[in-house]
Amino acid sequence: MIDAKNQELVSIIVPVYNAEKYIAHTIEMVRQQTYTDWELILVDDCSSDRSVEVIEEAIKNASLSESDSTLNPERHEDDNDENACSSSKIRLVKNPHNMGAAASRNAGIDAAKGRYIAFLDADDVWLDTKLEKELAFMKETGSEFVFTSYEFGDEQARPTGKIVHAPDSLDFKHALTRTVIFTTTVLFDMEKLSKDEIHMPLIASEDTATWWKILKTGVVARGLDEVLAIYRRPANSLSSNKFVAMKRVWNLYREIAGLNVLQSAFCFVMWAIRATLRRV
């Protein structure tokens, strides 16, 4: 049951591993959201760079701002967080050992207090209106699972003009041939889903496996066809590890979706065609 004071709260979960280059910008980007009822949960996965120091400094600065009543004073006054490194808006969770992105997101899910949960990767970008527009869309459609269109960016996250458009809706059958849901664009309503349902399995391509797991229950995800996020992609990454990615998708068909060889082959071919078209 969501606490009454958190009925409009969006919990934003960011897995952090050696993200010193991006994390200060990520935090500031969230602070610039036009929707202001959020908490930011940063889960450090034993980074070896200065990610933790940068986060702790941001939390310290946020706490000072809150003491001056500039960041949601009505929330911090009665929020007794047990995490020693936190403000009322930003919290740092530290993994005991390196566990990977899926386990880090799961730790963030477990720590989340809000009715709504959103994922954000440290090197990706949200437009300032992302939360406001997506939450309005979720309420308008009554959906428990929504996602948006996104645009590929270069190493500096500058838009390249290559956009992946979100379909109006996506069920399990159609999701099998369309890896169109980008983790940084999703939003869940936790009054309609459970934390167990959105916990990510500890396997490769854990995000796609999670979407399929949810959709397989009969949930239909709704897509907002508006670019509200930028997917940062270095120029040389489009062709790297493609055979590894193909193997991962094949294994998802066989192990997660439970398809036979012929069904897997059909879905795989359709996926490969669409994935290629999305990147050229």
Side-chain angles (χ1 to χ4, degrees):
M1 181 67 66
I2 307 297
D3 190 289
K5 71 176 182 178
N6 295 325
Q7 279 296 310
E8 297 299 320
L9 180 67
V10 179
S11 298
I12 305 163
I13 297 167
V14 180
V16 178
Y17 181 69
N18 290 346
E20 176 186 356
K21 183 178 179 180
Y22 306 112
I23 198 63
H25 178 262
T26 303
I27 294 170
E28 184 59 28
M29 180 177 64
V30 171
R31 293 183 65 183
Q32 293 301 316
Q33 287 291 300
T34 56
Y35 185 83
T36 59
D37 197 359
W38 50 261
E39 63 169 353
L40 178 59
I41 303 172
L42 300 142
V43 184
D44 181 69
D45 200 23
C46 298
S47 295
S48 59
D49 64 1
R50 295 188 63 259
S51 292
V52 168
E53 289 89 334
V54 173
I55 293 169
E56 290 175 338
E57 182 65 23
I59 289 173
K60 177 182 177 181
N61 292 337
S63 297
L64 291 174
S65 296
E66 288 171 4
S67 67
D68 291 332
S69 300
T70 60
L71 283 177
N72 273 13
E74 70 275 9
R75 179 171 298 282
H76 84 266
E77 288 173 359
D78 58 358
D79 188 3
N80 297 316
D81 199 311
E82 295 179 356
N83 193 324
C85 190
S86 68
S87 71
S88 68
K89 301 280 284 185
I90 307 171
R91 287 188 279 156
L92 172 62
V93 176
K94 298 179 182 179
N95 288 342
H97 54 85
N98 185 263
M99 301 166 66
S104 296
R105 291 194 187 100
N106 292 344
I109 291 168
D110 292 338
K113 300 177 181 179
R115 171 174 174 173
Y116 306 99
I117 288 181
F119 294 132
L120 171 61
D121 284 349
D123 57 345
D124 293 323
V125 173
W126 278 356
L127 275 64
D128 290 352
T129 56
K130 192 269 187 184
L131 288 180
E132 180 182 4
K133 290 185 174 181
E134 190 170 27
L135 184 56
F137 176 74
M138 171 172 273
K139 292 180 177 181
E140 176 187 338
T141 59
S143 179
E144 58 268 74
F145 178 6
V146 298
F147 61 103
T148 79
S149 301
Y150 63 94
E151 185 170 1
F152 285 106
D154 62 14
E155 291 183 3
Q156 284 73 47
R158 292 176 299 210
T160 63
K162 186 61 180 178
I163 295 173
V164 178
H165 290 280
D168 177 69
S169 62
L170 196 65
D171 59 16
F172 176 65
K173 177 181 176 181
H174 292 91
L176 293 176
T177 58
R178 303 188 66 179
T179 52
V180 70
I181 302 176
F182 176 33
T183 307
T184 285
T185 74
V186 301
L187 183 67
F188 299 110
D189 184 345
M190 302 314 298
E191 283 206 338
K192 299 178 180 179
L193 293 171
S194 69
K195 289 188 174 182
D196 284 343
E197 286 178 290
I198 69 170
H199 272 157
M200 292 191 168
L202 305 183
I203 61 173
S205 298
E206 70 282 351
D207 47 359
T208 298
T210 303
W211 320 150
W212 290 3
K213 179 179 69 169
I214 297 170
L215 298 177
K216 200 172 183 180
T217 67
V219 169
V220 175
R222 295 296 305 272
L224 173 60
D225 188 13
E226 182 173 352
V227 172
L228 295 175
I230 305 295
Y231 182 9
R232 189 191 303 265
R233 298 274 294 189
N236 63 355
S237 71
L238 296 180
S239 60
S240 65
N241 297 321
K242 59 185 177 182
F243 292 110
V244 173
M246 292 167 67
K247 182 178 179 181
R248 288 178 176 179
V249 172
W250 178 262
N251 288 338
L252 288 178
Y253 289 134
R254 301 289 285 138
E255 298 171 13
I256 301 299
L259 304 183
N260 61 37
V261 173
L262 288 177
Q263 291 170 325
S264 297
F266 171 79
C267 290
F268 184 84
V269 170
M270 296 302 296
W271 166 82
I273 292 172
R274 285 173 167 154
T276 300
L277 292 175
R278 191 167 66 241
R279 286 170 169 79
V280 296

